[in-house]
Amino acid sequence: MPWIQVKIDIHPAQIDSIEELLLTSGACAVTMEDGKDQPIYEPERGTTPLWKHTQLTGLFDAAADMQSIIPKIEARYQALSGSPLPAHRVEILEDKDWERAWMDNFHPMQFGTRLWICPSWREPEDPNGINLMLDPGLAFGTGTHPTTALCLAWLDAQDLKDKVVVDYGCGSGILGIAALLLGAKRVIGVDNDPQALEASRENTRRNNIEEDRFEIYLPGEAPDIEADVMIANILAQPLISLSPTLANMTKKDGLLVLSGILEQQASDVSECYSEWFEMNPPEQKEEWIRLSGSKR
């Protein structure tokens, strides 16, 4: 079953109130983990000490409308505490999301005919292939999730030579870096998570790509641009609300690729973008859909 997770960076004193808000807002489960690598040694009997910097994760069904749920959580927390909800982010749960636990099982993977995604700690299986060396850190995007795999396979099939690409919701940078390795001239990456921006920068260096070829921005800070290719692998509701923005950032006859969409959400997203784009039939992998089109 596909899932969405909400990650919130909190102080231990905030746990009870935020955990309750997540559960009453539809979270199926809430977990806590160390946010800053702080060891806890031999706690006193009967106590449950928590880390000074704790990351609280709420797990939601992937069909949940997070664009309406998150503002309600923010408003209720503001009313209860008198302060804003701490820093948080919403992302698709990858197939292997336990922190670093997938490393032993993350093998080089081929997408299409040319492109390979290779863990940075392993040797490429095809030295003559286009090998993207990846360490996603805490950001979304390893290629193991169907939404990312669908986008990588699409990129491999395109002629990207000298193209300008926007990767909206860049996460680990996997799609933007793949586009550069496949011939793109320039990529603009956008993400609202500072950890994602750092992961994108580090993976750009790891693949020996000049940093000025992969420009990385927070939303609202990206330059005015008309891209040859617009890629957005996020979620259905944000894709719908961002449709005018993504359309304005795509040039006439430019290509559009959207993912992070469940099968039952695809028609709504496609109908929304059809105002600006000639949409192609959807492509599916497991429960997830990739939409593509070209701007009129």
Side-chain angles (χ1 to χ4, degrees):
M1 182 176 183
W3 302 97
I4 294 172
Q5 56 191 2
V6 180
K7 292 189 172 183
I8 308 177
D9 299 317
I10 63 173
H11 185 275
Q14 301 167 310
I15 283 178
D16 290 342
S17 58
I18 297 180
E19 180 181 21
E20 180 66 19
L21 284 174
L22 289 169
L23 290 170
T24 57
S25 299
C28 304
V30 176
T31 59
M32 290 163 279
E33 60 184 321
D34 180 10
K36 287 289 180 77
D37 197 23
Q38 174 196 348
I40 295 177
Y41 301 109
E42 298 187 17
E44 294 181 15
R45 181 177 296 180
T47 66
T48 307
L50 291 168
W51 306 276
K52 183 178 179 181
H53 300 280
T54 299
Q55 186 174 84
L56 200 67
T57 301
L59 194 64
F60 290 80
D61 185 285
D65 182 2
M66 302 310 296
Q67 282 212 298
S68 63
I69 290 172
I70 293 297
K72 290 176 183 176
I73 293 175
E74 291 172 332
R76 289 166 64 189
Y77 184 77
Q78 178 81 43
L80 287 169
S81 66
S83 58
L85 185 69
H88 54 281
R89 59 190 182 277
V90 180
E91 58 190 29
I92 296 171
L93 178 65
E94 292 225 50
D95 294 349
K96 301 277 188 182
D97 192 62
W98 305 281
E99 185 177 359
R100 319 301 291 178
W102 43 263
M103 291 178 70
D104 290 340
N105 297 313
F106 182 20
H107 303 289
M109 295 174 289
Q110 187 174 15
F111 297 89
T113 60
R114 300 174 290 167
L115 181 64
W116 287 80
I117 306 300
C118 305
S120 60
W121 55 92
R122 298 190 58 157
E123 290 295 321
E125 288 193 7
D126 181 5
N128 297 317
I130 296 176
N131 291 296
L132 192 164
M133 308 306 292
L134 183 74
D135 184 347
L138 297 178
F140 177 82
T142 62
T144 62
H145 196 278
T147 61
T148 311
L150 284 163
C151 292
L152 289 169
W154 185 93
L155 285 169
D156 180 78
Q158 307 306 310
D159 179 6
L160 298 177
K161 183 175 174 56
D162 294 330
K163 303 294 187 184
V164 175
V165 177
V166 171
D167 180 4
Y168 209 101
C170 57
S172 67
I174 185 172
L175 299 180
I177 295 169
L180 289 168
L181 294 175
L182 289 164
K185 176 174 64 176
R186 176 188 179 200
V187 171
I188 290 85
V190 181
D191 206 293
N192 60 9
D193 181 1
Q195 287 183 332
L197 301 186
E198 182 54 39
S200 290
R201 290 189 187 97
E202 183 58 34
N203 283 317
T204 300
R205 299 184 195 108
R206 183 171 283 111
N207 285 276
N208 300 312
I209 293 171
E210 299 90 344
E211 290 189 29
D212 61 357
R213 293 182 63 207
F214 194 170
E215 304 171 32
I216 301 169
Y217 301 93
L218 291 167
E221 298 180 358
D224 291 334
I225 191 171
E226 287 191 328
D228 299 294
V229 179
M230 169 64 68
I231 307 172
N233 179 21
I234 39 181
L235 294 166
Q237 291 302 322
L239 286 173
I240 289 172
S241 63
L242 283 167
S243 57
T245 299
L246 302 190
N248 288 336
M249 293 178 73
T250 309
K251 67 188 297 185
K252 181 183 177 182
D253 296 325
L255 302 180
L256 174 76
V257 186
L258 307 174
S259 196
I261 306 162
L262 291 169
E263 182 179 5
Q264 63 268 28
Q265 300 167 330
S267 60
D268 289 341
V269 178
S270 183
E271 181 179 354
C272 176
Y273 279 84
S274 64
E275 180 176 345
W276 302 277
F277 295 87
E278 192 69 35
M279 300 301 290
N280 300 319
E283 296 289 334
Q284 184 166 353
K285 186 176 178 66
E286 298 177 18
E287 302 100 330
W288 299 95
I289 295 293
R290 182 191 70 213
L291 296 174
S292 63
S294 58
K295 191 173 181 184
R296 296 191 192 90

